[in-house]
Amino acid sequence: MLRICSLFILMMASAVHAADRLSIEGAARVIDGDTLEVAGTRVRLFGIDAPERSQTCVGPQGDWDCGRWSGEELTRLIGGRTVRCDGVEWDRYERLVARCEAGQGDLGAAMVQGGAAIAYRAYARDYIYPERAARYRRRGVWRNGGDNFTTPAEYRAESRAAQAQPPQRAPAHGACAIKGNVSASGQVYHIPGQRDYERTRIDETRGERWFCTEDEARAAGWRRAAR
């Protein structure tokens, strides 16, 4: 009987400990627009998906660093205040998926309302209406009305596909190493040394091509990639 009682107490203690791990509070360090570290725990904001740090978006004035800006927006919303997170679950990367706030309401909702993130429909539908409002008002990633917008999930998939392929070499006429790429951002060319140069693939069946000079690329209607 004593052994059974001891086992029950241990089980209850474990359950309480697991529940305690789902609620954390403390200083936060922003990693990107939907991920932060709170009191030493990596946290993924529930129900939203923000542009990746290296991601660019299309705007009325051309490509802009929406991924970097998204992280800066989360930092601004937190404003150095203590962050409290109520967990929903642990994901496969051992991050706590949680709703978080820093004294001014749900951080996930605020990020979507400002266009700094989108509703992550694959996992939740909580932020669909705030997203629609942000898109209507052309906030953040929607400043171009959503035209040619690559979602963070699509961007990650494209990056994984590019990394899985061997490096692409320039044509035999070597000097023509500028990549004219057709993507969601339109006709954009990448020069050697730019961040996205190596992962950009040229498919001539899609109208993509190599250029020898930037003047040649611009004359053909391509514009230089932001990075």
Side-chain angles (χ1 to χ4, degrees), residues 70-190:
S70 177
E72 292 172 351
E73 277 298 286
L74 183 55
T75 299
R76 183 186 65 79
L77 288 168
I78 293 171
R81 292 183 290 270
T82 296
V83 172
R84 174 181 171 80
C85 297
D86 293 319
V88 176
E89 61 182 354
W90 296 91
D91 70 9
R92 58 178 175 167
Y93 302 109
E94 297 185 355
R95 298 175 301 187
L96 178 64
V97 179
R99 297 179 187 273
C100 300
E101 59 90 25
Q104 295 184 336
D106 186 351
L107 287 171
M111 288 291 287
V112 175
Q113 288 167 358
I118 65 174
Y120 207 172
R121 288 171 170 78
Y123 296 96
R125 303 180 64 82
D126 299 53
Y127 302 116
I128 290 177
Y129 289 112
E131 180 194 282
R132 289 176 180 171
R135 184 168 185 173
Y136 176 77
R137 294 178 173 84
R138 293 178 177 261
R139 291 176 173 169
V141 299
W142 307 112
R143 62 178 61 175
N144 204 41
D147 295 338
N148 299 322
F149 174 56
T150 300
T151 68
E154 291 170 338
Y155 179 82
R156 291 191 294 270
E158 290 175 0
S159 297
R160 286 193 297 267
Q163 291 172 2
Q165 297 180 27
Q168 189 175 34
R169 298 186 181 279
H173 41 90
C176 301
I178 296 174
K179 297 179 178 181
N181 175 240
V182 179
S183 69
S185 299
Q187 294 180 320
V188 177
Y189 68 84
H190 301 262

Side-chain angles (χ1 to χ4, degrees), residues 25 42 60 63 75 80 91 101 114 117 210 220 225:
E25 184 173 344
R42 187 66 62 94
D63 290 357
T75 299
D91 70 9
E101 59 90 25
W210 297 86

Side-chain angles (χ1 to χ4, degrees), residues 167-170 176-181 188-192 196-202 208-211 217 222-223:
Q168 189 175 34
R169 298 186 181 279
C176 301
I178 296 174
K179 297 179 178 181
N181 175 240
V188 177
Y189 68 84
H190 301 262
I191 64 174
D196 294 334
Y197 181 83
E198 292 298 334
R199 75 182 190 88
T200 298
R201 322 302 299 176
I202 298 303
E208 297 177 332
R209 53 184 291 194
W210 297 86
F211 295 103
W222 264 257
R223 57 187 170 81

